[in-house]
Amino acid sequence: MFKNEEMEINLGPQHPSTHGVLRVKLRLDGETITHCKPIIGYLHRGVEKICENQTFFQGQVWTDRMDYCSAVANNLGWAEANEKLFGITVPRRAQYIRTMLNEFNRLASHLIWLATHALDIGAMTVFLYAFREREDILDLNEAFCGSRLTTTAFRIGGLREDLPPGFEKMARKFLAKFETCLEEYENLLSENRIWKKRTIGVAKLSAEDAIALGVTGPVLRAAGVPYDIRKAFPYAAYAEMDFEVPTQTAADTYARYLVRMAEMRQSARIVQQCLDGMPEGPVMAKIPKILKPEVNEVYHATEAPKGEIGYYLVGEKGSTNPYRFHVRAPGFINLQCLPKMAEGALIADIVAAIGTLDIVLGEIDR
Amino acid sequence: MTDPIVPQPEAAPEAPKGPYVYDYAASPQRQVVMPKTVPLPSRRTYLAEVKAAAEADEAKWQKMLADFETAKTKAEAEGKDAPKPPVRPVPRKDDNDMKTPWPEEAKDADLLLLQACLGAKVEEVFEQAGELTCQVSKDTILEVLLLCRDHADLRYEMLADQTATHYPAATGWDYSVVYHLTSISRRKRLRLRILVPEGFIPDSACAAYPSANWMEREIYDMLGITFANHPDMTRILCPDDWEGHALRKDYPVVGWGQRDIAFREDRGGMIERIALQKAGQLGINLKQPKAE
Amino acid sequence: MNQPTALEQILITTKVEKVMNWSRATSVWPVTFGLACCAIEMMAAGASRFDFDRFGAGIFRATPRQADLMIIAGTVTYKMAPTIKLLYDQMPEPKWVIAMGSCATAGGPFDSYHTVQGVDKIIPVDVFIPGCPPRPESLIYGFLKLQDKIMTSSLADRYKDIFEEVG
Amino acid sequence: MPTPTLSQSLAITLIQCVLVVLFVFVVVPLTVFAERKVLGYLQQRLGSTRVAGGHKGVTGWMNRGMWKWGRIPVLSYWRGIPGLLADVLKLILKEDVIPAKADKFVFFIAPALSMVSAVVVFAAISFVPGTFFIFPSWFPGLAGLPVSGGIADINVGLLWILGVASVGVYGIVLAGWASNSKYPLLGGLRSAAQMVSYEVPLAISLLVPVVLSGSLNFSEMAREMAIGLSAWGLVPQLLGFLIYLTCGFAETNRLPFDMPEAENELVAGFHTEYSGMKFGFFYLAEYINMTVVSALAAGFFLGGPWLLPFGLQGLFNHLLPAGSWLAGPHAIFFVAKIIFLLFTYIWVRGTIPRYRYDQVMTVAWKYLIPMALFNLLLAALVRCAV
């Protein structure tokens, strides 16, 4: 008389909480998810193919548009991969400025994560507050490279220009107020009963599963694995910085929230150190105008706000274009664990799971 | 009702029937320049190249010396001034901060251990730019991956990245598939590489590292390499009915025209007529598509 | 047709149309639909510093059925194109489209195999906003231009094509 | 006072209806507007301030400031109000899409059901105790007749309110079902379960005023809760008030219980497929329901039209002579209390996140119902003892 029927439902590609154009095919038994399959590719723009047909210098503008929330981190990885390919040594001042901008960018990216994640769970005011602070960081971006979002901040071999006058003052002013802003968000969320109910124990991913699925970034650190490329394989000026890698062991959405909030504090700390210990000197290495590599392949990984972003470059002798340009996008790999997180959970939990993974479809689909 | 003073508009040019598409075959972007070289880094090739270059340099020097000798004897015979003795050319040193990373001999313990464990299955090991590369034979990749994961002295827990490259100019093989392994506990990275000919189906890495699932799907989508024992070997980025594999070197950047879709409702073929007129004015090559 | 006839001038329909246009221009509800980088700037335009809501466009509706405006914020790809067309068809008339950024306008920098070279190949666009991505100010300016367009539009113009077809 | 004839009483009822509907359609759009504004302030932005049409003519007058004092900082914040009119007008003018696979009749009737049940509830709520005003002697036909403060101050007022309000649930459930689409269906199912669950503690928490006042008539209950206790009802009944308010949030689908239309999960929930004024009906019905819930809460727990806060009661008793033609402060302060509660709705929406669906049910069945029952028991014991 009664029969169980599963309902198949499509989350996206146009859906308020899929952070762009992710599509998730869900099979529901009532409100419980029995099967979950993410479908991607709705923003596949052929970045890798385009870059293979452009010179090494031109490749940078496409890295901006991959993970558009953290363009500077993408630029940094790209620039360092190229420098590894050519064997370029970057001046120390340039390294410091890069580190500082990268950390500012981490703040901006985490703020977007906080904003959208909170909005997904229903706390709409945090969205607006986080965007308020993010605008200040974008002002810093704008002061440095003239652009808000797609920064094209670095060049192979260093920076195009030194910091503009007044930048340090702006940055210090921002840092001075940022701590109180963080406390403001935490007042709204950290001890909020509903927030805790919605996040504690939701979308769990154990450390073993996370490592097997290649998950990196805050999601892995929230599972108790202190793997941060800034510490494990130091690049830029991170070897000289004094910072901690925040970890949690609960491996759920709330743990990831705590990890990211702690990371924001650490980022502010690194920025402070960069500002205090900024060395003098040139910001650009001496390199020829046209770069032609020897036969070489490099894989350079850096710690983007979302996890490990790796650039795989193959250089062809005598050619100005990379023979192969491949990006190991953190979101692409991290998204693989969505079925593991969501199956058996309720439909509201998948919204939390997508939010906590902090995905950006631009880099997933490339 | 029309005003007699206003001249009548000229009759529109006769529009040929049928839909029109931009002829991408004629576009310069469509023309694919196939690479002539095989930029596959390898210590063996590098040594051979260096040796050949040194030999060529030596030969050139010998020829210059010989030329000088003949010129000298000729000048002596003719009673002219002796020509200047040749100077051996020294390679120009650029004044910049670049230090080209060459492939170096494998000294790292991991590579030596792999070589010892696998023996003849390892085709090549070398280091370049501080990165360890181990090229293994294409049939044994799953075995090597399992070894890297489980061996007590290796412990590469994570497959960070897997990708492939198309080398149309190579002989005997067409694609290289690279695996970037990370050891979180030992803070080490390792690159495994296999060379795969067209049509060969390598083993999927999913059995050793579940994270290979989507990366192998992406390789299949972009380069057309299928993997054996993969749970879901379908396209991931492009739609299922996509034609061609985009990252092959014989695939044009602008594609084969799939992107030039027109979903927009055309009321009475108006847009087509306008497009045709404009194209005619601009001298763009428009042609009828081939009948399916 | 340039000069309105005496009859048209005194007809009350034009006044009604004015009020209708005013109401439509004042309350333009966009559909929550972001594609790529421009979506972040669209969100920024809705956030505190720029506050899209000032112009009556702050209520982002999640469902196309209740929206008047679709902001194509980002790159349109071959895989996404049918969905965008479907969404546009699901929106009730009268509806408007803003193509935000160079990708939606003309493919932008992505002249590649999977990128549709401009959303106007799929759906009719009212306002194009250049920039990669456009700043929120640009989006607001484009939106004000759209308001001007709505204010000066007339029903007869909007359905001219259909009227011509019907005869 | 003369006894009205049948036609006269019909006319008076009609006038009352018009007044109440007027009240509803003034307060509700203003709530919609206030929602945008208050949320704006919570989020450090301005909210709606402009209408289309630039700086000239009528629209320019609206944009520069509705009134002469529109330039005064605080008052200028109300400049976006004409936008409300535009919203309604636009929704009416919008194309009305009915999905091809929808059940057309049910699809059509659902928003009407929602809206009508929400408005009809107001019949049993009296805004002013006793006489609202008496028609002056020059008024043709109705001279000297009193108009009471509610349309139908019936003896089963509370039953009427609860009964009719639950009909509104059918509107939502039917809307979800008739759309023949998956998100609305989920929204409809959620709302069915949620409404049924929350009506239980809601009704139980309203039983306390019934027990304490011994009546089901709205105005009598309000009087008993205010004057009988000589304090605001929430002083002895804080628990009841909190339970009632929580259930009120759930019954009106407001955050943190907006399960049926949870935007981030179910797109727009049960009204995903609705467009134009049909959607507008759902939208308005939600706000009318909010007003109803607030009116009940203000009536039973905040002193209703009877008691003013902070000892202002005595002041007003002195200022206004008894038997004034308008029972002014009563109506005004009752409305003020309603508005404060409406503000609370918006305040909560701007502050806290959304529950998950199973947690919503947990809250109802595991916490609210036992607490409400305990509260009722306590009230009954007190009543028996006193």
Side-chain angles (χ1 to χ4, degrees):
Chain A
M1 186 175 166
F2 298 108
K3 57 178 179 178
N4 246 346
E5 256 187 54
E6 291 195 333
M7 181 159 74
E8 204 161 81
I9 197 166
N10 240 333
L11 214 68
Q14 183 265 334
H15 187 277
S17 56
T18 50
H19 295 225
V21 288
L22 171 67
R23 177 176 160 212
V24 189
K25 226 167 149 183
L26 298 174
R27 216 175 295 144
L28 298 178
D29 176 15
E31 290 245 346
T32 316
I33 298 163
T34 55
H35 181 79
C36 160
K37 189 185 181 193
I39 300 171
I40 59 172
Y42 289 93
L43 197 53
H44 177 55
R45 307 186 273 199
V47 168
E48 291 179 8
K49 186 75 182 176
I50 295 174
C51 286
E52 282 168 21
N53 289 275
Q54 304 268 347
T55 65
F56 284 100
F57 289 107
Q58 288 170 331
Q60 190 178 14
V61 290
W62 276 274
T63 63
D64 287 331
R65 285 154 184 80
M66 279 187 324
D67 179 358
Y68 33 80
C69 294
S70 52
V72 179
N74 291 10
N75 292 163
L76 181 63
W78 167 86
E80 296 216 328
N82 276 295
E83 281 147 15
K84 203 170 180 182
L85 184 73
F86 294 104
I88 300 171
T89 326
V90 180
R92 195 151 166 267
R93 183 175 171 85
Q95 298 279 34
Y96 263 71
I97 295 175
R98 281 178 174 190
T99 309
M100 181 174 71
L101 289 175
N102 191 23
E103 289 309 312
F104 268 131
N105 177 66
R106 192 180 310 277
L107 287 179
S109 173
H110 278 2
L111 283 174
I112 285 199
W113 156 80
L114 180 68
T116 49
H117 187 38
L119 188 66
D120 288 348
I121 294 187
M124 63 189 306
T125 299
V126 181
F127 175 84
L128 279 290
Y129 285 0
F131 261 74
R132 184 188 59 193
E133 267 71 62
R134 186 175 161 273
E135 288 291 336
D136 294 337
I137 298 176
L138 294 191
D139 281 350
L140 290 168
N141 270 353
E142 212 175 337
F144 179 68
C145 49
S147 177
R148 281 161 57 87
L149 207 63
T150 47
T151 50
T152 319
F154 310 134
R155 298 289 180 273
I156 300 174
L159 309 171
R160 186 172 156 270
E161 272 177 13
D162 208 334
L163 289 178
F167 185 91
E168 194 186 329
K169 203 176 154 195
M170 268 170 87
R172 282 188 195 280
K173 202 173 149 194
F174 172 77
L175 283 182
K177 74 161 191 187
F178 186 65
E179 181 63 30
T180 53
C181 297
L182 272 179
E183 276 165 16
E184 200 173 0
Y185 315 140
E186 286 180 341
N187 282 343
L188 276 168
L189 297 178
S190 286
E191 290 304 319
N192 189 325
R193 270 164 173 273
I194 302 178
W195 177 260
K196 278 176 133 177
K197 270 198 165 178
R198 283 298 305 273
T199 51
I200 290 180
V202 168
K204 279 202 160 198
L205 187 74
S206 68
E208 292 77 41
D209 285 343
I211 290 174
L213 285 167
V215 174
T216 47
V219 183
L220 180 62
R221 290 195 282 277
V225 183
Y227 176 61
D228 188 324
I229 300 169
R230 291 176 292 173
K231 281 271 189 216
F233 306 97
Y235 56 97
Y238 283 112
E240 303 171 33
M241 298 295 154
D242 173 31
F243 65 100
E244 286 153 21
V245 179
T247 51
Q248 292 281 331
T249 48
D252 57 4
T253 308
Y254 191 68
R256 285 167 213 138
Y257 160 78
L258 292 178
V259 163
R260 287 198 175 97
M261 293 310 264
E263 258 177 38
M264 281 203 246
R265 294 215 156 79
Q266 296 300 326
S267 289
R269 215 173 126 195
I270 296 174
V271 171
Q272 192 73 47
Q273 289 171 41
C274 286
L275 283 171
D276 292 341
M278 183 72 71
E280 293 299 318
V283 292
M284 190 70 188
K286 269 192 277 182
I287 56 165
K289 285 241 160 50
I290 296 168
L291 286 175
K292 290 184 179 176
E294 296 296 329
V295 174
N296 191 355
E297 61 181 335
V298 294
Y299 172 81
H300 187 72
T302 54
E303 181 77 21
K306 278 136 189 113
E308 172 179 338
I309 183 161
Y311 287 88
Y312 174 69
L313 282 169
V314 177
E316 185 181 9
K317 185 172 182 169
S319 166
T320 54
N321 303 352
Y323 187 80
R324 178 82 173 90
F325 177 94
H326 170 76
V327 188
R328 184 255 192 234
F332 180 74
I333 314 286
N334 288 3
L335 189 59
Q336 280 191 75
C337 67
L338 186 64
K340 196 134 214 158
M341 283 180 172
E343 276 169 18
L346 295 172
I347 191 169
D349 288 338
I350 194 165
V351 173
I354 293 171
T356 192
L357 280 175
D358 192 13
I359 52 167
V360 166
L361 268 294
E363 66 168 8
I364 291 171
D365 298 340
R366 301 189 290 288
Chain B
M1 291 292 284
T2 48
D3 196 334
I5 303 164
V6 177
Q8 291 292 316
E10 286 174 30
E14 184 80 12
K17 298 268 184 281
Y20 297 89
V21 291
Y22 184 67
D23 182 7
Y24 273 94
S27 131
Q29 284 167 305
R30 181 69 194 247
Q31 283 154 19
V32 177
V33 183
M34 291 291 274
K36 302 275 191 308
T37 58
V38 183
L40 185 80
S42 144
R43 168 106 181 130
R44 208 174 294 144
T45 330
Y46 167 69
L47 288 178
E49 269 173 20
V50 168
K51 203 175 157 196
E55 275 169 8
D57 194 45
E58 186 62 31
K60 202 177 163 192
W61 172 239
Q62 292 302 335
K63 189 168 174 286
M64 278 168 83
L65 280 180
D67 285 353
F68 170 70
E69 288 300 324
T70 49
K72 199 169 141 191
T73 48
K74 199 177 167 192
E76 273 173 7
E78 289 173 12
K80 289 178 187 166
D81 288 344
K84 275 184 192 166
V87 184
R88 185 157 186 166
V90 182
R92 206 180 69 208
K93 206 169 182 187
D94 293 331
D95 176 33
N96 57 30
D97 294 339
M98 284 168 63
K99 189 165 164 286
T100 310
W102 299 109
E104 292 157 15
E105 201 187 332
K107 290 191 191 105
D108 194 90
D110 287 9
L111 291 179
L112 297 178
L113 180 67
L114 273 175
Q115 214 166 16
C117 287
L118 294 165
K121 289 170 192 164
V122 173
E123 290 174 358
E124 188 170 14
V125 286
F126 62 93
E127 292 174 26
Q128 188 172 26
E131 294 183 357
L132 321 176
T133 308
C134 175
Q135 184 178 317
V136 297
S137 101
K138 57 184 183 287
D139 309 307
T140 57
I141 182 63
L142 187 60
E143 184 193 330
V144 178
L145 285 169
L146 284 169
L147 178 82
C148 288
R149 189 188 72 177
D150 297 332
H151 196 286
D153 290 343
L154 293 171
R155 297 208 307 275
Y156 286 97
E157 297 106 346
M158 190 187 274
L159 175 66
D161 188 26
Q162 181 184 359
T163 188
T165 313
H166 187 205
Y167 295 95
T171 47
W173 52 279
D174 294 283
Y175 304 97
S176 77
V177 182
V178 290
Y179 302 75
H180 292 106
L181 304 180
T182 308
S183 171
I184 293 173
S185 49
R186 295 171 59 233
R187 299 193 174 185
K188 251 191 156 152
R189 290 186 188 283
L190 172 70
R191 177 187 299 129
L192 294 179
R193 186 165 78 189
I194 54 172
L195 304 181
V196 177
E198 183 83 59
F200 181 82
I201 301 177
D203 276 333
S204 163
C206 290
Y209 298 101
S211 62
N213 188 339
W214 280 21
M215 296 188 262
E216 278 172 1
R217 281 177 72 189
E218 194 198 349
I219 292 171
Y220 166 67
D221 190 357
M222 294 285 115
L223 288 127
I225 304 172
T226 46
F227 290 87
N229 305 324
H230 188 278
D232 180 22
M233 198 81 254
T234 50
R235 284 186 182 269
I236 185 166
L237 296 176
C238 295
D240 287 338
D241 56 351
W242 190 259
E243 282 172 53
H245 298 281
L247 281 176
R248 287 188 181 181
K249 294 288 173 191
D250 54 0
Y251 194 87
V253 187
V254 294
W256 291 344
Q258 288 105 325
R259 69 181 196 183
D260 303 291
I261 46 170
F263 285 114
R264 191 165 164 180
E265 280 164 39
D266 192 356
R267 297 203 171 105
M270 189 175 64
I271 294 168
E272 241 170 53
R273 281 204 302 279
I274 294 169
L276 197 71
Q277 269 178 331
K278 292 263 181 206
Q281 287 162 9
L282 297 167
I284 292 172
N285 181 11
L286 280 169
K287 69 157 199 180
Q288 295 215 26
K290 275 182 225 157
E292 294 279 326
Chain C
M1 285 298 281
N2 294 336
Q3 290 294 321
T5 59
L7 185 66
E8 275 177 347
Q9 271 178 337
I10 57 164
L11 268 182
I12 196 164
T13 49
T14 58
K15 296 288 171 198
V16 169
E17 204 165 73
K18 243 182 183 173
V19 174
M20 281 163 68
N21 283 341
W22 171 78
S23 76
R24 283 167 179 173
T26 301
S27 110
V28 183
W29 295 354
V31 56
T32 320
F33 179 48
L35 286 165
C37 335
C38 296
I40 304 287
E41 288 297 62
M42 188 171 80
M43 277 150 73
S48 308
R49 189 185 284 191
F50 300 98
D51 192 14
F52 221 32
D53 198 13
R54 283 178 296 157
F55 307 94
I59 305 181
F60 279 83
R61 300 304 311 177
T63 157
R65 296 270 190 226
Q66 294 153 14
D68 313 289
L69 167 68
M70 184 147 80
I71 302 177
I72 308 285
T75 320
V76 183
T77 60
Y78 175 78
K79 202 172 178 178
M80 194 64 200
T83 315
I84 289 177
K85 174 73 178 153
L86 180 70
L87 278 176
Y88 181 77
D89 288 344
Q90 282 176 339
M91 281 163 68
E93 287 280 348
K95 50 192 170 186
W96 296 277
V97 176
I98 288 181
M100 181 185 180
S102 19
C103 291
T105 306
F110 298 101
D111 187 10
S112 68
Y113 51 93
H114 204 254
T115 317
V116 174
Q117 302 294 299
V119 73
D120 55 333
K121 290 199 169 194
I122 307 166
I123 52 176
V125 177
D126 293 279
V127 177
F128 292 96
I129 304 174
C132 189
R135 300 175 58 93
E137 292 98 320
S138 315
L139 178 59
I140 289 173
Y141 182 70
F143 178 74
L144 292 178
K145 286 283 147 200
L146 178 71
Q147 278 191 335
D148 289 352
K149 182 173 177 173
I150 298 171
M151 289 289 278
T152 51
S153 68
S154 78
L155 275 179
D157 279 352
R158 192 164 176 88
Y159 298 107
K160 209 156 95 187
D161 289 352
I162 298 172
F163 291 155
E164 272 175 7
E165 218 168 84
V166 174
Chain D
M1 239 173 254
T3 324
T5 61
L6 183 67
S7 56
Q8 276 176 329
S9 54
L10 273 180
I12 288 172
T13 311
L14 209 63
I15 287 167
Q16 284 173 321
C17 289
V18 169
L19 281 176
V20 167
V21 169
L22 217 65
F23 166 77
V24 168
F25 283 91
V26 168
V27 165
V28 163
L30 283 178
T31 318
V32 177
F33 179 72
E35 171 134 37
R36 288 168 80 170
K37 279 305 209 185
V38 171
L39 278 184
Y41 289 122
L42 289 174
Q43 295 161 354
Q44 305 204 340
R45 54 191 180 88
L46 285 176
S48 161
T49 57
R50 288 169 58 91
V51 296
H55 293 278
K56 283 183 190 149
V58 185
T59 54
W61 175 66
M62 290 172 185
N63 282 344
R64 282 193 306 272
M66 269 293 285
W67 303 284
K68 224 174 191 177
W69 26 274
R71 285 162 198 272
I72 303 168
V74 176
L75 299 175
S76 69
Y77 297 156
W78 298 90
R79 270 184 301 180
I81 284 187
L84 279 178
L85 191 67
D87 279 346
V88 175
L89 207 57
K90 182 210 75 177
L91 280 175
I92 293 172
L93 293 170
K94 201 82 178 144
E95 185 192 356
D96 193 17
V97 180
I98 299 179
K101 296 272 176 66
D103 186 330
K104 302 230 164 32
F105 177 69
V106 182
F107 191 82
F108 182 81
I109 208 81
L113 210 57
S114 232
M115 182 76 176
V116 167
S117 70
V119 178
V120 164
V121 168
F122 272 96
I125 293 174
S126 55
F127 290 82
V128 186
T131 312
F132 188 30
F133 63 87
I134 298 169
F135 279 109
S137 54
W138 49 262
F139 204 89
L142 299 172
L145 288 176
V147 177
S148 64
I151 298 172
D153 205 4
I154 48 176
N155 284 334
V156 286
L158 192 65
L159 276 185
W160 168 266
I161 291 168
L162 290 178
V164 175
S166 2
V167 174
V169 183
Y170 284 98
I172 293 175
V173 177
L174 290 180
W177 183 77
S179 300
N180 202 355
S181 173
K182 283 169 183 172
Y183 285 117
L185 179 65
L186 273 176
L189 289 175
R190 277 179 171 198
S191 88
Q194 180 183 329
M195 300 289 182
V196 168
S197 311
Y198 274 87
E199 247 167 37
V200 179
L202 183 101
I204 296 174
S205 67
L206 282 184
L207 275 183
V208 177
V210 173
V211 167
L212 291 183
S213 64
S215 167
L216 280 173
N217 179 312
F218 178 84
S219 56
E220 254 179 56
M221 283 167 72
R223 195 178 60 234
E224 279 298 313
M225 286 299 283
I227 294 174
L229 298 168
S230 30
W232 280 15
L234 77 88
V235 176
Q237 272 300 311
L238 187 61
L239 184 62
F241 174 64
L242 291 178
I243 292 170
Y244 174 77
L245 208 61
T246 316
C247 298
F249 279 100
E251 285 288 293
T252 51
N253 301 333
R254 296 285 301 182
L255 225 76
F257 302 106
D258 62 341
M259 289 303 118
E261 44 187 321
E263 189 177 296
N264 298 90
E265 294 149 30
L266 302 185
V267 186
F270 64 91
H271 58 64
T272 302
E273 297 288 345
Y274 280 88
S275 64
M277 204 52 207
K278 284 195 188 125
F279 157 67
F281 270 17
F282 281 123
Y283 200 64
L284 287 179
E286 180 184 326
Y287 284 85
I288 296 171
N289 280 330
M290 273 162 67
T291 319
V292 171
V293 170
S294 305
L296 288 189
F300 297 150
F301 298 106
L302 295 185
W306 294 99
L307 292 180
L308 308 182
F310 315 121
L312 290 174
Q313 186 68 47
L315 188 71
F316 272 90
N317 285 348
H318 284 296
L319 275 179
L320 284 160
S324 159
W325 70 273
L326 181 75
H330 293 301
I332 289 171
F333 275 86
F334 190 46
V335 171
K337 285 165 185 172
I338 294 176
I339 286 173
F340 172 73
L341 285 169
L342 288 175
F343 168 74
T344 315
Y345 274 90
I346 301 164
W347 191 9
V348 168
R349 185 183 170 199
T351 313
I352 55 177
R354 177 186 299 123
Y355 270 115
R356 203 171 58 198
Y357 179 62
D358 60 327
Q359 291 163 352
V360 168
M361 303 308 269
T362 315
V363 168
W365 292 100
K366 284 196 184 158
Y367 301 106
L368 289 181
I369 291 180
M371 270 155 68
L373 281 173
F374 172 73
N375 190 35
L376 179 63
L377 189 69
L378 215 64
L381 286 176
V382 168
R383 175 81 184 171
C384 289
V386 174

